[in-house]
């Protein structure tokens, strides 16, 4: 539970602390725009990253509720949900032990959004005061749409992909994005 608590402290309590520090002045001015970086892991399960996914689901719940609560005071809330982004994030990801990181940088950056592109799309979402934006390449983006509109299919396909990710992890592939190169259409054909 120590890693779960640390993840909640970092991703939920840390984010809420900043929000609660600046929100009163926005409400008093009756103007503001809260932008929160969440993750597609807050929209759908992230196999081998359950604590991370849990924390991002909590972030999604809080900010979706906040958006409704402050709508009448001209305070906008934008949730940004990036998928895998080219960064040192996977190398710095928490491991199963407190104080340790995964420590390996994912080598398959082709499956990830370039950092500059992600930043540009965040700026576009902010400028247009979007309520939520998903920033990712396929197949993660496809799964985000499936999760939103046909969740039963996501559970079915996700279970098949989960097994591939778990096997890669057990085989020593510590890339937290292992298994993302799987083609969901091949899985559908195999399962049918």
């Amino acid at each position: 539970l120590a890693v779960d608590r640390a993840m909640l402290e970092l991703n939920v309590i840390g984010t809420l602390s900043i929000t609660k520090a600046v929100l009163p002045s926005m409400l008093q001015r009756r103007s503001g725009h809260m932008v929160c970086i969440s993750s597609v892991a807050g929209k759908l399960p992230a196999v081998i990253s359950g604590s991370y996914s849990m924390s991002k689901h909590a972030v999604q719940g809080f900010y979706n509720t906040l958006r409704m609560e402050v709508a009448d005071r001209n305070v906008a809330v934008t949730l940004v949900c990036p998928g895998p982004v080219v960064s040192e994030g996977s190398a710095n990801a928490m491991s199963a032990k407190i104080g340790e990181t995964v420590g390996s940088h994912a080598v398959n950056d082709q499956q990830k959004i370039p950092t500059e592109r992600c930043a540009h799309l965040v700026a576009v979402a902010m400028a247009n005061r979007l309520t939520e934006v998903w920033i990712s390449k396929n197949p993660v983006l496809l799964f985000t749409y499936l999760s939103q509109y046909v969740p039963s299919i996501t559970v079915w396909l996700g279970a098949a992909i989960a097994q591939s990710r778990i096997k890669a992890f057990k085989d020593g592939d510590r890339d937290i994005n292992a298994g993302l190169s799987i083609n969901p259409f091949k899985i559908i054909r195999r399962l049918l």
Side-chain angles (χ1 to χ4, degrees), residues 17-55:
S17 298
I18 294 168
T19 298
K20 291 188 181 244
V22 299
L23 185 60
S25 66
M26 290 182 182
L27 294 174
Q28 185 178 18
R29 287 190 325 265
R30 297 187 70 78
S31 176
H33 190 178
M34 191 72 59
V35 179
C36 178
I37 305 296
S38 181
S39 171
V40 293
K43 301 293 292 178
L44 49 99
V47 177
I48 307 174
S49 300
S51 296
Y52 179 76
S53 188
M54 166 195 61
S55 70

Side-chain angles (χ1 to χ4, degrees), residues 56-78:
K56 293 302 184 175
H57 274 79
V59 165
Q60 292 286 129
F62 177 81
Y63 286 92
N64 281 327
T65 302
L66 178 65
R67 181 183 305 113
M68 289 184 240
E69 293 173 347
V70 300
D72 66 335
R73 298 203 198 145
N74 197 33
V75 175
V77 177
T78 297

Side-chain angles (χ1 to χ4, degrees), residues 1-13 51 54-55 94 98:
L1 283 179
V3 171
D4 301 314
R5 283 190 181 101
M7 191 69 72
L8 285 170
E9 186 70 31
L10 175 68
N11 289 337
V12 181
I13 302 303
S51 296
M54 166 195 61
S55 70
M94 288 185 188
I98 287 291

Side-chain angles (χ1 to χ4, degrees), residues 143 145-158:
F143 273 95
Y145 276 96
L146 289 173
S147 177
Q148 183 78 20
Y149 299 109
V150 281
S152 296
I153 291 176
T154 309
V155 170
W156 184 60
L157 284 173

Side-chain angles (χ1 to χ4, degrees), residues 103-114:
S104 64
H105 179 68
V107 294
N108 188 2
D109 284 346
Q110 291 179 340
Q111 292 290 328
K112 299 178 179 183
I113 288 280

